[in-house]
Each structure stands twice: as C-alpha cells, then as structure tokens.
Amino acid sequence: MKNSRPVILLALGLLLAILAGSSSSRGRAEQADTGPPPVAYVWGSQLTVYYPNQKKIYVYSELGGNCVYAYTLSTPGGPITRENCK
C-alpha cells in the first residue's frame, strides 16, 4: 500500500497536466478559426480557390502550380476586378 500511493499521485498529476494542456490548445484553435474555410474547385488541370473572408478567387494554372490571376468580388451585382498574381 505504501508504494502504490506515489504511483497514484503521479498518474493523477499526469492526467491533470494532459487535461490542462488540451483545454488551453482548444481555446487557441477556436480563436484561429474566424471564418468559413476556403472552397477549392478543380477543372481539368486548373485549380480555383475561393477565400470567403477576403472575397477573392485565385486561379492556378495547374495543380501545385503558380497563381495566374485573382478576382476580387464586391457586393452582389457589383464590379469584379481581375488582377495578375505576382
């Protein structure tokens, strides 16, 4: 009985440390996610990614390729501007 008490206290301490770490990392993850995720669409060898927070659509020449151009959206029915990627 004498030897089992330190083992139980150590196990309890480890459990509390794990629970404290998971609750603090969960709070950080919720803060980082502030909006909807990007939406990707593949058409042949082209990749288009829409970022709702930025209201931008990026068009890539091929999967894993460089950005060719981007569209910036405004209000519904408003102008759409196109710009070349750098």
Coordinates of all heavy atoms in Angstrom, one line a residue:
M1 N 0.8 -1.2 0.0 CA 0.0 0.0 0.0 C 0.9 1.2 0.0 O 0.5 2.2 -0.6 CB -0.9 0.0 1.2 CG -1.9 1.1 1.3 SD -3.2 0.7 0.1 CE -4.3 2.0 0.3
K2 N 2.0 1.2 0.7 CA 2.9 2.3 0.8 C 3.5 2.7 -0.6 O 3.6 3.9 -0.9 CB 4.1 1.9 1.7 CG 4.6 3.0 2.5 CD 5.7 2.5 3.4 CE 5.7 3.2 4.7 NZ 6.9 2.9 5.5
N3 N 3.8 1.8 -1.5 CA 4.4 2.0 -2.8 C 3.3 2.5 -3.8 O 3.6 3.1 -4.8 CB 5.1 0.8 -3.3 CG 6.3 0.5 -2.5 OD1 6.9 1.4 -1.9 ND2 6.8 -0.7 -2.5
S4 N 2.1 2.1 -3.6 CA 1.1 2.5 -4.6 C 0.6 3.9 -4.5 O 0.1 4.5 -5.5 CB -0.1 1.5 -4.5 OG -0.8 1.7 -3.2
R5 N 0.8 4.5 -3.4 CA 0.3 5.9 -3.2 C 1.1 6.9 -4.1 O 0.5 7.7 -4.8 CB 0.4 6.3 -1.8 CG -0.2 7.7 -1.5 CD -0.3 7.9 -0.1 NE -1.3 9.0 0.1 CZ -1.6 9.5 1.3 NH1 -1.1 9.0 2.4 NH2 -2.4 10.5 1.4
P6 N 2.4 6.9 -4.2 CA 3.1 7.8 -5.1 C 2.8 7.5 -6.6 O 2.7 8.4 -7.4 CB 4.6 7.5 -4.9 CG 4.7 6.8 -3.6 CD 3.4 6.1 -3.4
V7 N 2.5 6.3 -7.0 CA 2.1 5.9 -8.3 C 0.8 6.5 -8.7 O 0.6 7.1 -9.7 CB 2.1 4.4 -8.5 CG1 1.6 4.0 -9.9 CG2 3.5 3.8 -8.4
I8 N -0.1 6.5 -7.7 CA -1.5 7.0 -7.9 C -1.4 8.6 -8.1 O -2.0 9.2 -8.9 CB -2.4 6.6 -6.8 CG1 -2.7 5.1 -6.9 CG2 -3.7 7.4 -6.9 CD1 -3.5 4.6 -5.8
L9 N -0.6 9.2 -7.2 CA -0.4 10.6 -7.2 C 0.3 11.1 -8.5 O -0.1 12.1 -9.1 CB 0.4 11.1 -6.0 CG -0.3 11.1 -4.7 CD1 0.6 11.5 -3.6 CD2 -1.6 11.9 -4.7
L10 N 1.2 10.3 -9.0 CA 1.9 10.6 -10.3 C 0.9 10.5 -11.4 O 0.9 11.4 -12.3 CB 3.1 9.7 -10.5 CG 3.9 9.9 -11.7 CD1 4.5 11.3 -11.7 CD2 4.9 8.8 -11.9
A11 N 0.1 9.4 -11.4 CA -0.9 9.2 -12.5 C -1.9 10.4 -12.5 O -2.3 10.9 -13.5 CB -1.5 7.9 -12.4
L12 N -2.3 10.8 -11.3 CA -3.3 11.9 -11.2 C -2.7 13.2 -11.7 O -3.4 14.0 -12.4 CB -3.8 12.0 -9.7 CG -4.8 13.0 -9.5 CD1 -6.1 12.7 -10.3 CD2 -5.2 13.1 -8.0
G13 N -1.4 13.4 -11.3 CA -0.8 14.6 -11.8 C -0.6 14.7 -13.3 O -0.8 15.7 -14.0
L14 N -0.3 13.5 -13.9 CA -0.2 13.5 -15.4 C -1.5 13.7 -16.0 O -1.6 14.4 -17.1 CB 0.4 12.1 -15.8 CG 1.9 11.9 -15.5 CD1 2.3 10.5 -15.8 CD2 2.7 12.9 -16.4
L15 N -2.6 13.1 -15.5 CA -3.9 13.3 -16.0 C -4.3 14.8 -16.0 O -4.9 15.3 -17.0 CB -4.9 12.4 -15.3 CG -6.3 12.5 -15.7 CD1 -6.5 12.0 -17.1 CD2 -7.2 11.7 -14.8
L16 N -4.0 15.4 -14.9 CA -4.4 16.8 -14.8 C -3.6 17.7 -15.7 O -4.1 18.6 -16.3 CB -4.2 17.3 -13.3 CG -5.2 16.8 -12.3 CD1 -4.7 17.3 -10.9 CD2 -6.6 17.3 -12.6
A17 N -2.3 17.4 -15.9 CA -1.5 18.1 -16.9 C -2.0 17.9 -18.3 O -2.0 18.9 -19.1 CB 0.0 17.6 -16.8
I18 N -2.4 16.7 -18.7 CA -3.0 16.5 -20.0 C -4.3 17.2 -20.2 O -4.5 17.8 -21.3 CB -3.1 14.9 -20.2 CG1 -1.8 14.3 -20.3 CG2 -4.0 14.7 -21.5 CD1 -1.8 12.8 -20.3
L19 N -5.1 17.2 -19.2 CA -6.4 17.9 -19.3 C -6.2 19.4 -19.4 O -6.9 20.1 -20.2 CB -7.3 17.6 -18.2 CG -7.9 16.2 -18.1 CD1 -8.7 15.9 -16.9 CD2 -8.7 15.9 -19.3
A20 N -5.3 20.0 -18.7 CA -5.0 21.4 -18.8 C -4.4 21.8 -20.1 O -4.8 22.8 -20.7 CB -4.0 21.8 -17.6
G21 N -3.5 21.0 -20.7 CA -3.0 21.2 -22.0 C -4.0 21.1 -23.1 O -4.0 22.0 -24.0
S22 N -4.9 20.2 -23.0 CA -5.9 20.1 -24.1 C -6.9 21.2 -24.0 O -7.4 21.7 -25.1 CB -6.6 18.7 -24.0 OG -7.4 18.6 -22.8
S23 N -7.3 21.7 -22.9 CA -8.2 22.8 -22.8 C -7.6 24.1 -23.2 O -8.3 24.9 -23.9 CB -8.8 22.9 -21.4 OG -7.8 23.3 -20.5
S24 N -6.3 24.3 -23.0 CA -5.7 25.5 -23.5 C -5.5 25.5 -25.0 O -5.6 26.5 -25.6 CB -4.4 25.8 -22.7 OG -3.4 24.8 -23.1
S25 N -5.1 24.4 -25.6 CA -5.0 24.3 -27.0 C -6.3 24.4 -27.7 O -6.4 24.9 -28.8 CB -4.3 23.0 -27.4 OG -5.1 21.9 -27.1
R26 N -7.4 23.9 -27.1 CA -8.7 24.1 -27.7 C -9.1 25.5 -27.8 O -9.7 25.9 -28.8 CB -9.7 23.3 -26.9 CG -11.1 23.2 -27.5 CD -12.1 22.4 -26.7 NE -11.6 21.2 -26.1 CZ -11.7 20.9 -24.9 NH1 -12.4 21.7 -24.0 NH2 -11.3 19.8 -24.4
G27 N -8.8 26.3 -26.8 CA -9.1 27.7 -26.8 C -8.4 28.5 -27.9 O -8.9 29.3 -28.6
R28 N -7.1 28.1 -28.2 CA -6.3 28.7 -29.2 C -6.9 28.3 -30.6 O -6.9 29.2 -31.5 CB -4.9 28.3 -29.1 CG -4.1 29.1 -28.1 CD -2.7 28.8 -28.2 NE -2.3 27.4 -28.0 CZ -1.8 26.9 -27.0 NH1 -1.4 27.7 -26.0 NH2 -1.5 25.6 -26.9
A29 N -7.3 27.1 -30.8 CA -7.8 26.7 -32.1 C -9.1 27.4 -32.4 O -9.4 27.7 -33.5 CB -8.0 25.1 -32.0
E30 N -10.0 27.6 -31.4 CA -11.2 28.3 -31.7 C -11.0 29.8 -32.1 O -11.7 30.3 -32.9 CB -12.1 28.2 -30.5 CG -12.7 26.8 -30.2 CD -13.4 26.7 -28.9 OE1 -13.5 27.7 -28.2 OE2 -13.8 25.6 -28.5
Q31 N -10.0 30.4 -31.5 CA -9.7 31.8 -31.9 C -9.1 31.9 -33.3 O -9.4 32.8 -34.0 CB -8.7 32.4 -30.9 CG -9.3 32.5 -29.5 CD -8.2 32.9 -28.5 OE1 -7.0 33.0 -28.8 NE2 -8.6 33.2 -27.2
A32 N -8.3 30.9 -33.7 CA -7.7 31.0 -35.0 C -8.7 30.8 -36.1 O -8.6 31.4 -37.2 CB -6.6 29.9 -35.1
D33 N -9.8 30.0 -35.9 CA -10.8 29.8 -36.9 C -11.8 30.9 -36.8 O -12.8 30.8 -36.0 CB -11.4 28.4 -36.7 CG -12.4 28.0 -37.8 OD1 -12.3 28.6 -38.9 OD2 -13.2 27.2 -37.5
T34 N -11.7 31.9 -37.6 CA -12.6 33.1 -37.5 C -13.6 33.1 -38.6 O -14.5 34.0 -38.6 CB -11.8 34.4 -37.5 OG1 -11.1 34.4 -38.7 CG2 -10.9 34.5 -36.3
G35 N -13.6 32.3 -39.6 CA -14.5 32.3 -40.7 C -14.6 31.0 -41.4 O -14.0 30.0 -41.0
P36 N -15.4 31.0 -42.5 CA -15.5 29.8 -43.3 C -14.2 29.4 -44.0 O -13.4 30.2 -44.3 CB -16.6 30.2 -44.3 CG -16.6 31.6 -44.4 CD -16.1 32.1 -43.0
P37 N -14.1 28.1 -44.2 CA -12.8 27.6 -44.9 C -12.9 28.0 -46.3 O -13.9 28.2 -46.9 CB -12.9 26.1 -44.6 CG -14.4 25.8 -44.5 CD -15.0 27.0 -43.8
P38 N -11.7 28.0 -47.0 CA -11.7 28.2 -48.4 C -12.4 27.1 -49.2 O -12.4 25.9 -48.7 CB -10.2 28.3 -48.8 CG -9.5 27.7 -47.6 CD -10.4 27.8 -46.4
V39 N -12.9 27.4 -50.4 CA -13.5 26.4 -51.2 C -12.7 26.2 -52.5 O -12.3 27.2 -53.2 CB -14.9 26.9 -51.6 CG1 -15.6 25.9 -52.6 CG2 -15.8 27.2 -50.4
A40 N -12.3 25.0 -52.8 CA -11.5 24.7 -53.9 C -12.3 24.0 -55.0 O -13.2 23.2 -54.7 CB -10.3 23.8 -53.5
Y41 N -12.0 24.3 -56.2 CA -12.7 23.6 -57.4 C -11.6 23.3 -58.4 O -10.8 24.1 -58.8 CB -13.7 24.6 -58.0 CG -14.5 24.0 -59.1 CD1 -15.5 23.0 -58.9 CD2 -14.3 24.4 -60.4 CE1 -16.2 22.5 -59.9 CE2 -15.0 23.9 -61.5 CZ -15.9 22.9 -61.2 OH -16.6 22.4 -62.3
V42 N -11.7 22.1 -58.9 CA -10.7 21.6 -59.9 C -11.4 21.4 -61.2 O -12.5 20.7 -61.3 CB -10.0 20.3 -59.5 CG1 -9.1 19.8 -60.5 CG2 -9.3 20.5 -58.2
W43 N -10.9 22.0 -62.3 CA -11.5 21.8 -63.6 C -10.3 21.4 -64.6 O -9.5 22.3 -64.9 CB -12.1 23.1 -64.1 CG -12.7 23.1 -65.5 CD1 -12.0 23.4 -66.6 CD2 -14.0 22.7 -65.8 NE1 -12.8 23.3 -67.7 CE2 -14.1 22.9 -67.2 CE3 -15.1 22.3 -65.1 CZ2 -15.2 22.6 -67.9 CZ3 -16.3 22.1 -65.8 CH2 -16.3 22.2 -67.2
G44 N -10.3 20.2 -64.9 CA -9.1 19.7 -65.8 C -7.8 19.8 -65.0 O -7.7 19.2 -64.0
S45 N -6.9 20.6 -65.5 CA -5.6 20.8 -64.8 C -5.6 22.2 -64.1 O -4.6 22.6 -63.6 CB -4.5 20.7 -65.8 OG -4.5 21.8 -66.7
Q46 N -6.7 22.9 -64.1 CA -6.8 24.2 -63.4 C -7.4 24.0 -62.0 O -8.3 23.2 -61.7 CB -7.7 25.2 -64.2 CG -7.0 26.2 -64.8 CD -8.0 27.2 -65.4 OE1 -9.2 27.0 -65.5 NE2 -7.5 28.3 -65.9
L47 N -6.9 24.9 -61.1 CA -7.4 24.9 -59.7 C -7.9 26.3 -59.4 O -7.2 27.2 -59.6 CB -6.3 24.5 -58.7 CG -6.6 24.6 -57.2 CD1 -7.6 23.6 -56.8 CD2 -5.3 24.4 -56.4
T48 N -9.1 26.4 -58.8 CA -9.6 27.6 -58.4 C -9.9 27.6 -56.9 O -10.6 26.6 -56.5 CB -10.9 27.9 -59.2 OG1 -10.6 27.9 -60.6 CG2 -11.5 29.3 -58.8
V49 N -9.5 28.6 -56.2 CA -9.7 28.6 -54.7 C -10.4 29.9 -54.3 O -9.9 31.0 -54.7 CB -8.4 28.4 -53.9 CG1 -8.7 28.4 -52.4 CG2 -7.7 27.2 -54.3
Y50 N -11.5 29.8 -53.6 CA -12.3 31.0 -53.2 C -12.1 31.1 -51.7 O -12.3 30.2 -50.9 CB -13.8 30.8 -53.5 CG -14.6 31.9 -52.9 CD1 -14.4 33.2 -53.2 CD2 -15.7 31.6 -52.0 CE1 -15.2 34.2 -52.6 CE2 -16.5 32.5 -51.5 CZ -16.2 33.9 -51.8 OH -17.0 34.8 -51.2
Y51 N -11.7 32.3 -51.3 CA -11.5 32.7 -49.9 C -12.6 33.6 -49.5 O -12.6 34.8 -49.8 CB -10.1 33.3 -49.6 CG -9.0 32.3 -49.8 CD1 -8.3 32.2 -51.0 CD2 -8.6 31.5 -48.7 CE1 -7.3 31.3 -51.2 CE2 -7.5 30.6 -48.9 CZ -6.9 30.5 -50.1 OH -5.9 29.6 -50.3
P52 N -13.6 33.1 -48.7 CA -14.8 34.0 -48.4 C -14.4 35.2 -47.6 O -15.0 36.3 -47.7 CB -15.7 33.1 -47.6 CG -15.3 31.7 -47.9 CD -13.8 31.8 -48.3
N53 N -13.5 35.1 -46.6 CA -13.1 36.2 -45.8 C -12.5 37.4 -46.6 O -12.7 38.5 -46.3 CB -12.1 35.8 -44.7 CG -12.8 35.0 -43.7 OD1 -14.0 34.9 -43.6 ND2 -12.0 34.3 -42.8
Q54 N -11.7 37.0 -47.6 CA -11.0 38.0 -48.5 C -11.9 38.4 -49.7 O -11.6 39.4 -50.3 CB -9.7 37.5 -49.0 CG -8.7 37.1 -48.0 CD -7.5 36.5 -48.7 OE1 -7.4 36.3 -49.9 NE2 -6.6 36.1 -47.8
K55 N -12.9 37.7 -49.9 CA -13.8 37.8 -51.1 C -12.9 37.8 -52.4 O -13.1 38.6 -53.3 CB -14.6 39.1 -51.0 CG -15.6 39.1 -49.9 CD -16.5 40.4 -50.0 CE -17.5 40.3 -48.9 NZ -18.3 41.5 -48.9
K56 N -12.0 36.8 -52.4 CA -11.1 36.7 -53.6 C -11.2 35.3 -54.1 O -11.3 34.3 -53.4 CB -9.7 37.0 -53.2 CG -9.4 38.5 -53.2 CD -7.9 38.7 -53.2 CE -7.6 40.2 -53.5 NZ -6.3 40.4 -53.8
I57 N -11.0 35.2 -55.4 CA -10.9 33.9 -56.1 C -9.6 33.8 -56.8 O -9.2 34.7 -57.6 CB -12.0 33.7 -57.2 CG1 -13.4 33.8 -56.6 CG2 -11.8 32.4 -58.0 CD1 -14.5 33.8 -57.6
Y58 N -8.8 32.8 -56.5 CA -7.4 32.7 -57.1 C -7.5 31.5 -58.1 O -8.0 30.5 -57.8 CB -6.4 32.3 -56.0 CG -6.1 33.5 -55.1 CD1 -6.8 33.6 -53.9 CD2 -5.2 34.5 -55.4 CE1 -6.6 34.7 -53.0 CE2 -4.9 35.5 -54.5 CZ -5.6 35.6 -53.4 OH -5.4 36.7 -52.5
V59 N -6.9 31.7 -59.2 CA -6.9 30.7 -60.3 C -5.5 30.3 -60.5 O -4.6 31.1 -60.8 CB -7.5 31.3 -61.6 CG1 -7.5 30.2 -62.7 CG2 -9.0 31.8 -61.3
Y60 N -5.2 29.0 -60.5 CA -3.9 28.4 -60.6 C -3.9 27.7 -62.0 O -4.9 27.0 -62.4 CB -3.6 27.5 -59.5 CG -3.5 28.2 -58.2 CD1 -4.6 28.4 -57.4 CD2 -2.3 28.7 -57.7 CE1 -4.5 29.0 -56.1 CE2 -2.2 29.4 -56.5 CZ -3.3 29.5 -55.7 OH -3.3 30.2 -54.5
S61 N -2.7 27.7 -62.6 CA -2.6 27.1 -64.0 C -2.7 25.6 -63.9 O -3.2 25.0 -64.8 CB -1.3 27.5 -64.6 OG -0.2 27.1 -63.8
E62 N -2.2 25.0 -62.9 CA -2.2 23.5 -62.8 C -2.1 23.2 -61.3 O -1.8 24.0 -60.5 CB -1.0 22.9 -63.5 CG 0.3 23.4 -63.1 CD 1.4 22.9 -64.0 OE1 1.3 22.9 -65.2 OE2 2.4 22.5 -63.4
L63 N -2.4 21.9 -61.0 CA -2.4 21.5 -59.6 C -1.0 21.7 -59.1 O 0.0 21.2 -59.7 CB -2.8 20.1 -59.4 CG -4.3 19.9 -59.8 CD1 -4.7 18.4 -59.7 CD2 -5.2 20.7 -58.9
G64 N -0.8 22.4 -58.0 CA 0.5 22.7 -57.5 C 1.3 23.8 -58.2 O 2.5 24.0 -57.9
G65 N 0.7 24.4 -59.2 CA 1.4 25.5 -60.0 C 1.2 26.8 -59.3 O 0.7 27.0 -58.2
N66 N 1.7 27.8 -60.1 CA 1.6 29.2 -59.6 C 0.3 29.8 -59.9 O -0.4 29.5 -60.8 CB 2.7 30.0 -60.2 CG 4.1 29.6 -59.8 OD1 4.3 29.1 -58.7 ND2 5.1 29.7 -60.7
C67 N 0.0 30.8 -59.1 CA -1.3 31.6 -59.3 C -1.1 32.4 -60.6 O -0.1 33.1 -60.8 CB -1.5 32.5 -58.1 SG -2.9 33.6 -58.3
V68 N -2.1 32.3 -61.4 CA -2.1 33.1 -62.7 C -2.8 34.4 -62.5 O -2.2 35.4 -62.9 CB -2.9 32.2 -63.8 CG1 -2.9 33.0 -65.1 CG2 -2.2 30.9 -64.0
Y69 N -4.0 34.4 -62.0 CA -4.7 35.7 -61.7 C -5.7 35.5 -60.6 O -6.0 34.4 -60.2 CB -5.4 36.2 -63.0 CG -6.2 35.2 -63.7 CD1 -7.6 35.0 -63.4 CD2 -5.7 34.5 -64.8 CE1 -8.4 34.1 -64.1 CE2 -6.5 33.6 -65.5 CZ -7.8 33.4 -65.1 OH -8.6 32.5 -65.8
A70 N -6.2 36.6 -60.1 CA -7.1 36.6 -59.0 C -8.3 37.6 -59.3 O -8.1 38.6 -59.9 CB -6.5 37.0 -57.7
Y71 N -9.5 37.2 -58.8 CA -10.7 38.1 -58.9 C -11.0 38.6 -57.6 O -11.1 37.8 -56.6 CB -11.9 37.3 -59.5 CG -11.7 36.9 -60.9 CD1 -11.4 35.5 -61.3 CD2 -11.8 37.8 -62.0 CE1 -11.3 35.1 -62.6 CE2 -11.7 37.4 -63.3 CZ -11.4 36.1 -63.6 OH -11.3 35.7 -64.9
T72 N -11.3 39.8 -57.4 CA -11.8 40.4 -56.2 C -13.3 40.7 -56.3 O -13.7 41.4 -57.3 CB -11.0 41.7 -55.8 OG1 -9.6 41.4 -55.8 CG2 -11.5 42.2 -54.5
L73 N -14.1 40.1 -55.5 CA -15.5 40.3 -55.6 C -16.0 41.5 -54.7 O -15.3 41.7 -53.7 CB -16.2 39.0 -55.1 CG -15.8 37.7 -55.8 CD1 -16.5 36.5 -55.1 CD2 -16.1 37.8 -57.3
S74 N -17.0 42.1 -55.1 CA -17.6 43.2 -54.3 C -19.0 42.8 -53.8 O -19.2 41.6 -53.6 CB -17.6 44.5 -55.0 OG -18.4 44.4 -56.2
T75 N -19.9 43.7 -53.7 CA -21.2 43.4 -53.3 C -21.9 42.6 -54.4 O -21.5 42.7 -55.6 CB -22.0 44.7 -53.0 OG1 -22.0 45.5 -54.2 CG2 -21.4 45.4 -51.9
P76 N -23.0 41.9 -54.2 CA -23.7 41.2 -55.2 C -24.2 42.2 -56.3 O -24.8 43.2 -56.0 CB -24.9 40.6 -54.5 CG -24.5 40.4 -53.1 CD -23.6 41.6 -52.8
G77 N -23.9 41.8 -57.5 CA -24.2 42.7 -58.7 C -23.2 43.8 -58.9 O -23.3 44.5 -59.9
G78 N -22.2 43.9 -58.1 CA -21.2 44.9 -58.2 C -20.1 44.5 -59.1 O -20.1 43.4 -59.7
P79 N -19.1 45.3 -59.3 CA -18.0 45.0 -60.2 C -17.1 43.9 -59.6 O -17.0 43.7 -58.4 CB -17.2 46.3 -60.3 CG -17.5 47.0 -59.0 CD -18.9 46.6 -58.6
I80 N -16.4 43.2 -60.6 CA -15.5 42.2 -60.2 C -14.2 42.6 -60.9 O -14.1 42.8 -62.1 CB -15.9 40.8 -60.8 CG1 -17.2 40.3 -60.2 CG2 -14.8 39.7 -60.5 CD1 -17.8 39.1 -60.8
T81 N -13.1 42.8 -60.1 CA -11.8 43.2 -60.6 C -10.9 42.0 -60.8 O -10.9 41.1 -59.9 CB -11.2 44.2 -59.7 OG1 -11.0 43.7 -58.4 CG2 -12.0 45.5 -59.6
R82 N -10.2 42.0 -61.9 CA -9.2 40.9 -62.1 C -7.8 41.5 -62.0 O -7.5 42.6 -62.5 CB -9.4 40.4 -63.5 CG -8.4 39.3 -63.9 CD -8.6 38.8 -65.2 NE -7.4 38.0 -65.7 CZ -7.4 37.3 -66.8 NH1 -8.4 37.3 -67.6 NH2 -6.3 36.7 -67.0
E83 N -6.9 40.8 -61.4 CA -5.5 41.2 -61.3 C -4.6 40.0 -61.5 O -4.9 38.9 -61.1 CB -5.3 41.9 -59.9 CG -5.6 40.9 -58.7 CD -5.7 41.6 -57.4 OE1 -6.7 42.3 -57.2 OE2 -4.8 41.4 -56.6
N84 N -3.5 40.3 -62.1 CA -2.5 39.2 -62.3 C -1.7 39.0 -61.0 O -1.5 39.9 -60.2 CB -1.5 39.6 -63.3 CG -2.1 39.7 -64.7 OD1 -3.0 39.0 -65.0 ND2 -1.6 40.6 -65.5
C85 N -1.5 37.7 -60.7 CA -0.7 37.3 -59.5 C 0.7 37.7 -59.7 O 1.3 37.7 -60.8 CB -0.9 35.9 -59.2 SG -2.5 35.4 -58.8
K86 N 1.4 37.9 -58.6 CA 2.8 38.3 -58.6 C 3.7 37.2 -58.4 O 3.4 36.2 -57.8 CB 3.1 39.4 -57.6 CG 2.3 40.6 -58.0 CD 2.4 41.7 -56.9 CE 1.5 42.8 -57.2 NZ 1.3 43.8 -56.2

